[in-house]
């Protein structure tokens, strides 16, 4: 059942709580003369207790909306500068918003608590009309918060299995399990029996689905030497994980990376260790990019139109802002593009 959206505190609420007139509240909060310092301090303290924030846009004051949608990325900042996925996603989002002359407000934060705090502040300040929310995760508090605030939103990616999404929230997702199944099928057909998945952040729902699908497909095909290693998506952790698994007693004959940056870093580590790709190690990257096509050998990768994915997410949000109902929409499944980094496995892995 959808909750009644929370009401933003007003100057009238502050006046009632502080025991002063609305004009005194206006004077106090806008730094104008006409009230004592004691009254000014009391009004400011009450405003803070109520969570009041000044509107930052004249459009909001006139009731026309902020003409802006928000996107918060709670990812390590060092990984965003090198990962092309979000740049392409944002380009598609902006393409759809530009048609309606809407702006995109983007903020990068350290963790989920900070992200939720940003949502509360933007809501209080009437900063955005709606939100695009990425990286669903286990026990995700954001759908309930957005339901409480009454902010229209699109969740990009499916929530954790069994977790319902309520309120004015649409969901746009791609089939991670189907994509991973195609990867395992490709490697199995090439004779690979020792496969490592160098995954992303372990708390993300899509990471968990990919890992679960890998285990399920391995069990179904009788592969017993298959494992996943989680990272922060960075080239540094991708390289370190690659170095560690290749130094094992029975190293994998194939590695699947959860993004292009880690795959390229892994290719460099293999060269450093004298492990030939693909003769001694097959490599597959999630989310194809110019990086995957520019290496030697070029990397086999899961490909999709990420800009179109972003555009579709923005279009779903525009539909909500126009009064349309929440929707659950499945986007195109990433398809495997076979290049020179995968080949038939040798019995000894080429070593």
């Amino acid at each position: 059942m959808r909750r009644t959206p929370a009401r933003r505190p007003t100057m009238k609420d502050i006046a009632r709580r502080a025991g002063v007139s609305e004009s005194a509240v206006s004077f106090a909060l806008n730094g104008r003369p006409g009230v004592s310092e004691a009254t000014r301090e009391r009004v400011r303290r009450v405003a803070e207790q109520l969570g009041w924030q000044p509107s930052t846009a004249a459009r909001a004051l006139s009731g026309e909306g902020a003409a802006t949608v928000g996107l918060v990325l709670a990812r390590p900042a060092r990984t965003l500068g090198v990962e092309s996925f979000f740049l392409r996603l944002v380009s598609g989002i902006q393409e759809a918003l530009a048609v309606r002359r809407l702006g995109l407000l983007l903020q990068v934060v350290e963790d989920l608590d900070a992200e939720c705090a940003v949502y509360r502040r933007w809501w209080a300040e009437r900063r955005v009309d709606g939100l695009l929310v990425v990286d669903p995760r286990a026990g995700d508090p954001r759908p309930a918060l957005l339901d409480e605030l009454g902010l229209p939103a699109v969740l990009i990616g499916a929530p954790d299995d069994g977790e319902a999404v309520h309120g004015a929230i649409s969901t746009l997702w791609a089939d991670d399990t189907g994509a991973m199944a195609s990867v395992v099928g490709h490697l199995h057909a090439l004779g690979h029996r020792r496969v490592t998945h160098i995954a992303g952040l372990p708390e993300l729902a899509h990471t968990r689905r990919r890992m679960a699908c890998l285990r399920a497909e391995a069990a179904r095909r009788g592969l017993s030497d298959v494992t996943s290693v989680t990272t922060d998506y960075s080239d540094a952790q991708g390289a370190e994980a690659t170095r560690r698994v290749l130094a094992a007693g029975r190293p994998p004959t194939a590695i699947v990376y959860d993004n292009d940056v880690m795959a390229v870093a892994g290719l460099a580590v293999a060269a450093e260790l004298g492990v030939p790709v693909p003769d001694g190690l097959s490599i597959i990257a999630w989310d194809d990019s110019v990086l995957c096509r520019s290496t030697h050998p070029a990397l086999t990768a899961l490909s999709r139109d990420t800009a179109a994915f972003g555009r579709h997410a923005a279009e779903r949000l525009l539909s909500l802002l126009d009064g349309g109902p929440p929707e659950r929409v499945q986007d195109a499944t990433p398809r495997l593009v076979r290049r020179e980094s995968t080949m038939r496995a040798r019995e000894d892995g080429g070593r």
Side-chain angles (χ1 to χ4, degrees):
M1 180 181 298
R2 185 180 176 186
R3 305 170 184 169
T4 301
R7 187 176 66 85
R8 294 182 179 89
T10 65
M11 285 191 178
K12 180 180 287 188
D13 297 324
I14 298 170
R16 186 181 301 113
R17 175 78 67 88
V20 297
S21 66
E22 287 183 57
S23 60
V25 170
S26 178
F27 291 158
L29 295 178
N30 290 300
R32 294 163 56 191
V35 293
S36 67
E37 282 306 310
T39 297
R40 193 183 307 278
E41 180 58 31
R42 183 165 77 255
V43 167
R44 288 175 175 169
R45 186 168 60 249
V46 169
E48 182 177 350
Q49 291 169 352
L50 292 176
W52 180 88
Q53 294 286 345
S55 171
T56 58
R59 290 178 62 87
L61 289 173
S62 65
E64 297 177 10
T68 303
V69 302
L71 171 62
V72 181
L73 302 178
R75 287 280 190 98
R78 65 185 179 279
T79 69
L80 295 174
V82 294
E83 190 175 2
S84 63
F85 172 83
F86 282 113
L87 292 176
R88 289 178 284 149
L89 185 76
V90 168
S91 72
I93 290 170
Q94 188 58 57
E95 182 182 344
L97 297 181
V99 174
R100 299 280 290 271
R101 298 185 179 179
L102 295 178
L104 177 65
L105 182 57
L106 174 66
Q107 186 160 340
V108 179
V109 296
E110 286 299 315
D111 55 35
L112 198 59
D113 288 341
E115 181 176 342
C116 289
V118 169
Y119 292 154
R120 290 188 179 279
R121 185 173 73 251
W122 283 354
W123 168 80
E125 295 174 352
R126 298 173 174 84
R127 186 72 67 90
V128 298
D129 297 319
L131 293 164
L132 294 159
V133 181
V134 298
D135 291 340
R137 60 198 72 203
D140 201 324
R142 295 172 298 175
L145 171 60
L146 299 176
D147 192 15
E148 173 192 337
L149 299 178
L151 274 172
V154 172
L155 189 63
I156 302 176
D160 225 30
D161 292 342
E163 292 191 8
V165 175
H166 304 288
I169 301 177
S170 288
T171 303
L172 179 72
W173 60 286
D175 185 5
D176 289 295
T177 57
M180 179 60 85
S182 72
V183 168
V184 178
H186 174 59
L187 293 175
H188 181 265
L190 291 175
H192 292 279
R193 302 297 180 260
R194 302 197 303 274
V195 179
T196 294
H197 170 213
I198 296 186
L201 295 164
E203 66 269 22
L204 301 186
H206 68 254
T207 302
R208 295 157 66 95
R209 277 193 296 273
R210 294 174 189 179
M211 292 169 61
C213 180
L214 177 67
R215 291 193 300 269
E217 286 294 313
R220 187 172 73 83
R221 298 172 185 273
L223 307 181
S224 59
D225 200 355
V226 172
T227 188
S228 294
V229 178
T230 58
T231 70
D232 66 356
Y233 285 109
S234 70
D235 56 334
Q237 288 202 10
E240 192 278 329
T242 303
R243 190 171 286 107
R244 189 167 67 248
V245 300
L246 290 181
R250 282 176 57 81
T253 61
I255 300 179
V256 182
Y257 294 87
D258 259 3
N259 70 7
D260 55 345
V261 173
M262 292 196 297
V264 172
L267 180 63
V269 168
E272 171 194 321
L273 297 178
V275 179
V277 176
D279 299 74
L281 177 70
S282 286
I283 288 179
I284 296 180
W286 208 290
D287 282 325
D288 193 14
S289 73
V290 66
L291 284 178
C292 298
R293 300 187 292 273
S294 302
T295 59
H296 181 73
L299 298 180
T300 295
L302 283 161
S303 180
R304 64 175 166 189
D305 189 339
T306 304
F309 191 50
R311 186 171 65 251
H312 297 161
E315 288 168 352
R316 298 276 68 75
L317 182 56
L318 292 174
S319 175
L320 289 175
L321 295 177
D322 289 339
E327 301 173 281
R328 181 178 171 85
V329 178
Q330 181 175 352
D331 210 67
T333 301
R335 61 183 180 85
L336 191 65
V337 177
R338 302 177 185 184
R339 300 196 180 100
E340 293 80 17
S341 68
T342 52
M343 67 174 288
R344 179 162 292 279
R346 298 183 181 181
E347 281 298 315
D348 61 355
R351 280 157 271 173

